[in-house]
Amino acid sequence: MGGGKFMQRNLKCSGWTFIVGSERNMYKLTLDGVDVMGERLAEEVIEVINRRPEIKKISFVAHSVGGLVARYAIGRLYRPPRRKSQEDSTVGACEDDSRGTIYGLEAINFVTVATPHLGSRGNKQVPFLFGVTAIEKVASLVIHWIFRRTGRHLFLTDNDGGQPPLLQRMVDDCGDLYFLSALRAFKRRVAYANVGYDHIVGWRTSSIRLNSELPKWEDSLSEKYPHIVYEEKSKSKKVDQYAMDSIGEDDNCNDELEGELVTGLSRVSWERVDVSFHTSRLRFAAHSVIQVKDSFMESEGADVIQHMIDHFLLT
């Protein structure tokens, strides 16, 4: 992600932390589809692990569509927990064995920043379309002309081999891709989201919430994190419990698929961190500022990166 260098300079820990910025999905390669990019990222991670056998733990920090790519990649990299032998039962096996691993490594942090977890086809999920239903419907029909296969995945119009849309399949384990189990393997999952002025990714989709779950926020009183306006930790919910407790009449659930995605992803717990740049001179570039893509131009987002660092688990 863009804040990688900032994190590398400021991440303090006992021992050492090895930070790798992915380079496999640059420029036009981002148009090839979430699955193709996810396979590339998985291969890149395996290469790093093979070069660095001393690495024992792994975390992911991803921005925008990169969060979906990372979710796909961990689904490919997930390894189920090893079965306890009779000897293990006698001696006492480690509890962490029951959570599975990411290619043999202990999974610690999975952090997404302004990622369209619910896709981009719902009402106001792409704010620059102004929330006009007619424009949003047209966009879903023509988006692949510009963003090719990735566009189809984001607007959930793909049906490869008659299968459900990829993002729908990614809320559960699917064949040899363990999407949900991989997410569950991490000690923490975090979704950073812009509450406004992000004209590319809407608040609901980046924070994995229904419309009725969006919180009322106020200006931050924190000097250290002036742009963090709301934080919450949610517990995992069973599908039937979530459906009964959460989905209400004011949830824009004319798109039932969006509700299904929220329900599926809520089967694991999430930390949600809401960010606002409404007083920033670069507020209209919130999608980039939140990740400090340019450390000089977008330094106002540095407190968000610092928040990630301060809450990053190392063990």
Side-chain angles (χ1 to χ4, degrees):
M1 62 170 286
K5 293 181 180 178
F6 185 97
M7 291 185 74
Q8 196 159 16
R9 289 197 304 268
N10 292 278
L11 190 58
K12 298 177 181 179
C13 63
S14 57
W16 54 270
T17 300
F18 184 58
I19 299 178
V20 178
S22 175
E23 298 180 346
R24 290 292 173 85
N25 294 300
M26 308 285 280
Y27 310 112
K28 290 185 178 181
L29 295 179
T30 61
L31 306 178
D32 292 341
V34 171
D35 52 354
V36 173
M37 289 189 285
E39 295 288 355
R40 290 191 196 119
L41 177 58
E43 291 173 4
E44 187 175 17
V45 170
I46 291 172
E47 289 176 9
V48 172
I49 293 172
N50 289 339
R51 288 200 310 268
R52 293 275 193 166
E54 68 273 23
I55 295 176
K56 304 300 180 186
K57 301 175 182 180
I58 191 167
S59 294
F60 287 80
V61 180
H63 174 254
S64 195
V65 176
L68 298 177
V69 174
R71 278 177 49 201
Y72 188 98
I74 63 173
R76 174 63 71 195
L77 294 167
Y78 176 77
R79 298 296 180 265
R82 65 186 182 89
R83 294 183 177 181
K84 294 182 182 179
S85 65
Q86 191 169 4
E87 182 180 348
D88 288 334
S89 301
T90 305
V91 176
C94 176
E95 289 184 7
D96 286 345
D97 286 346
S98 64
R99 291 173 44 230
T101 66
I102 300 301
Y103 205 70
L105 304 185
E106 183 182 0
I108 308 296
N109 306 274
F110 188 85
V111 182
T112 63
V113 185
T115 288
H117 289 284
L118 312 180
S120 303
R121 85 172 192 177
N123 183 242
K124 298 182 180 178
Q125 297 290 44
V126 182
F128 79 78
L129 298 179
F130 309 110
V132 178
T133 302
I135 297 177
E136 291 173 339
K137 287 183 177 179
V138 170
S140 69
L141 297 174
V142 303
I143 195 67
H144 62 282
W145 294 352
I146 305 171
F147 296 108
R148 296 181 0 203
R149 201 154 178 270
T150 300
R152 290 188 184 277
H153 287 154
L154 289 175
F155 278 81
L156 292 92
T157 58
D158 58 300
N159 62 345
D160 295 343
Q163 297 184 91
L166 178 62
L167 296 192
Q168 184 179 5
R169 285 179 274 143
M170 283 174 58
V171 301
D172 209 338
D173 293 344
C174 183
D176 60 349
L177 292 162
Y178 297 90
F179 299 122
L180 188 63
S181 292
L183 277 176
R184 189 174 284 125
F186 285 83
K187 287 190 174 180
R188 62 192 290 259
R189 293 151 296 279
V190 192
Y192 284 81
N194 282 311
V195 304
Y197 290 103
D198 187 328
H199 298 297
I200 298 173
V201 178
W203 187 12
R204 290 199 322 278
T205 189
S206 55
S207 65
I208 317 175
R209 292 185 178 111
L210 298 169
N211 196 55
S212 62
E213 295 175 319
L214 295 175
K216 293 181 179 180
W217 58 273
E218 298 179 351
D219 288 348
S220 174
L221 298 177
S222 169
E223 292 185 8
K224 189 172 185 180
Y225 313 123
H227 298 108
I228 305 294
V229 297
Y230 194 87
E231 295 181 67
E232 71 174 13
K233 293 183 179 181
S234 68
K235 296 181 179 179
S236 60
K237 290 188 176 184
K238 294 180 179 179
V239 173
D240 54 350
Q241 176 191 356
Y242 193 93
M244 289 190 299
D245 291 351
S246 301
I247 300 179
E249 294 180 0
D250 57 343
D251 276 319
N252 286 331
C253 272
N254 52 339
D255 188 343
E256 294 182 4
L257 185 50
E258 181 179 316
E260 182 181 333
L261 298 183
V262 174
T263 301
L265 289 172
S266 296
R267 285 182 287 171
V268 295
S269 62
W270 288 89
E271 297 173 34
R272 294 178 174 88
V273 183
D274 299 306
V275 178
S276 176
F277 294 106
H278 70 289
T279 60
S280 168
R281 60 187 174 82
L282 292 174
R283 57 187 177 275
F284 292 104
H287 189 70
S288 294
V289 175
I290 195 173
Q291 63 146 346
V292 194
K293 189 173 183 180
D294 184 305
S295 60
F296 176 73
M297 291 292 295
E298 299 164 351
S299 60
E300 288 185 75
D303 64 304
V304 180
I305 302 298
Q306 191 62 54
H307 184 277
M308 293 181 204
I309 294 169
D310 292 345
H311 292 78
F312 214 73
L313 292 182
L314 298 170
T315 57

